[in-house]
């Protein structure tokens, strides 16, 4: 059974600081997703990572994938308050369509 | 460009009643998924359709749950004889077979009292 673990689960940052969220998964996968969720809202797609060594950046967020280590990272650069949200990683397993999600990282960026 | 649409957005029901949620996927998306999310948790997979065929159902989907996708367009998720443990947000998502991005709807919140 595919398991996805994120850490930390809670992250409180100051504006302007950098930090990294980690996502480990237990079995081979060829696709990893990062989503953002605001309170009471749905999931907004941030990144889809398809291959070993893939790196994608959008604004202050950068995601990378190491399929050999079964590890993805979401790096936050110079955090701003607007980035406060819950961030989920999700992995597609052998089924090729079913997402298995981590528990999410609740990020709070303080002034 | 319309995204994935879900209705109703919020539903409060008494225990034992039946509820039905509707999902309209993005046009021409042949894959449709239902997920359930409880507070403080990540979404959990419930079921998957490719066109009108329901190809997988999670063990989470008890006999009280049924999903359909007639004609491969919109989908419905019905919960019969609701229980308090059914309280959650039910998320619908869609994608194309050849694509990688999976788009989620706004979700339907269910509260069973």
């Amino acid at each position: 059974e595919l398991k996805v673990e994120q850490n930390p689960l809670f992250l409180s940052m100051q504006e302007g600081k950098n930090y990294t969220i980690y996502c480990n998964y237990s079995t081979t996968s060829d696709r990893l997703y990062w989503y953002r969720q605001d309170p009471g809202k749905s999931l907004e797609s941030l990144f889809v990572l398809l291959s070993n060594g893939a790196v994608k950046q959008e604004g202050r967020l950068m995601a990378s994938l190491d399929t050999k280590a079964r590890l993805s990272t979401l790096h936050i650069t110079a955090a701003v308050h607007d980035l406060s949200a819950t961030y989920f990683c999700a992995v597609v397993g052998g089924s090729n369509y079913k997402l298995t999600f981590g528990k999410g990282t609740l990020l709070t960026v303080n002034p | 460009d319309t995204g994935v649409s879900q209705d109703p957005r919020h539903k409060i029901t008494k225990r034992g009643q039946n509820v039905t949620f509707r999902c309209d996927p993005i046009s021409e998306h042949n894959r449709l998924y239902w997920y359930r999310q409880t507070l403080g948790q990540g979404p959990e997979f419930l079921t998957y359709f490719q066109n009108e065929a329901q190809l997988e159902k999670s063990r989470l989907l008890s006999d009280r749950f049924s999903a359909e996708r007639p004609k491969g367009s919109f989908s419905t998720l019905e919960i019969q004889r609701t229980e308090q443990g059914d309280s959650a947000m039910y998320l619908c998502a869609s994608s194309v077979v050849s694509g990688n991005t999976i788009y989620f709807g706004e979700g339907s919140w269910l509260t069973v009292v």
Side-chain angles (χ1 to χ4, degrees):
Chain A
E1 180 188 348
L2 174 58
K3 293 187 190 297
V4 180
E5 290 189 359
Q6 284 182 239
N7 70 84
L9 298 182
F10 300 94
L11 178 55
S12 181
M13 299 176 64
Q14 282 189 310
E15 279 191 330
K17 298 293 187 182
N18 304 333
Y19 210 84
T20 301
I21 299 170
Y22 297 88
C23 174
N24 288 91
Y25 52 98
S26 61
T27 64
T28 302
S29 172
D30 60 0
R31 269 182 291 160
L32 188 140
Y33 296 75
W34 284 98
Y35 285 92
R36 168 183 171 143
Q37 187 175 42
D38 292 298
K41 302 291 187 181
S42 188
L43 298 162
E44 175 190 353
S45 179
L46 295 175
F47 303 108
V48 183
L49 302 169
L50 301 176
S51 60
N52 188 42
V55 177
K56 290 197 173 179
Q57 183 163 4
E58 180 74 33
R60 301 174 188 274
L61 301 177
M62 183 174 71
S64 66
L65 178 62
D66 181 343
T67 57
K68 293 179 182 177
R70 297 177 187 160
L71 171 68
S72 179
T73 60
L74 181 66
H75 187 72
I76 303 152
T77 302
V80 293
H81 179 70
D82 284 353
L83 290 179
S84 296
T86 299
Y87 292 84
F88 290 97
C89 68
V91 176
V92 172
S95 68
N96 198 37
Y97 53 78
K98 182 168 62 179
L99 290 173
T100 300
F101 283 82
K103 292 193 173 193
T105 297
L106 176 59
L107 171 66
T108 304
V109 181
N110 304 303
Chain B
D1 175 31
T2 57
V4 179
S5 176
Q6 293 188 243
D7 182 71
R9 296 291 316 283
H10 301 273
K11 179 74 176 179
I12 300 174
T13 191
K14 291 184 179 179
R15 190 174 54 182
Q17 298 293 304
N18 299 343
V19 296
T20 299
F21 299 113
R22 176 181 169 123
C23 171
D24 286 273
I26 294 171
S27 179
E28 299 182 359
H29 278 198
N30 41 16
R31 288 183 165 177
L32 187 145
Y33 319 79
W34 286 97
Y35 286 80
R36 180 171 69 188
Q37 186 179 23
T38 53
L39 283 175
Q41 300 296 318
E44 295 174 294
F45 172 81
L46 292 179
T47 191
Y48 160 69
F49 290 86
Q50 184 160 317
N51 299 311
E52 67 275 11
Q54 187 175 21
L55 298 184
E56 185 172 348
K57 290 173 60 172
S58 164
R59 288 181 301 236
L60 294 175
L61 224 59
S62 75
D63 291 345
R64 297 184 297 105
F65 288 72
S66 63
E68 294 182 342
R69 192 182 182 196
K71 302 178 183 178
S73 55
F74 70 92
S75 176
T76 58
L77 177 68
E78 181 183 17
I79 309 172
Q80 296 183 326
R81 305 181 303 281
T82 52
E83 301 173 356
Q84 286 189 319
D86 297 332
S87 296
M89 181 163 67
Y90 291 84
L91 289 160
C92 179
S94 72
S95 67
V96 293
V97 171
S98 58
N100 293 309
T101 304
I102 299 173
Y103 299 89
F104 281 81
E106 291 291 318
S108 292
W109 282 98
L110 173 65
T111 302
V112 181
V113 297

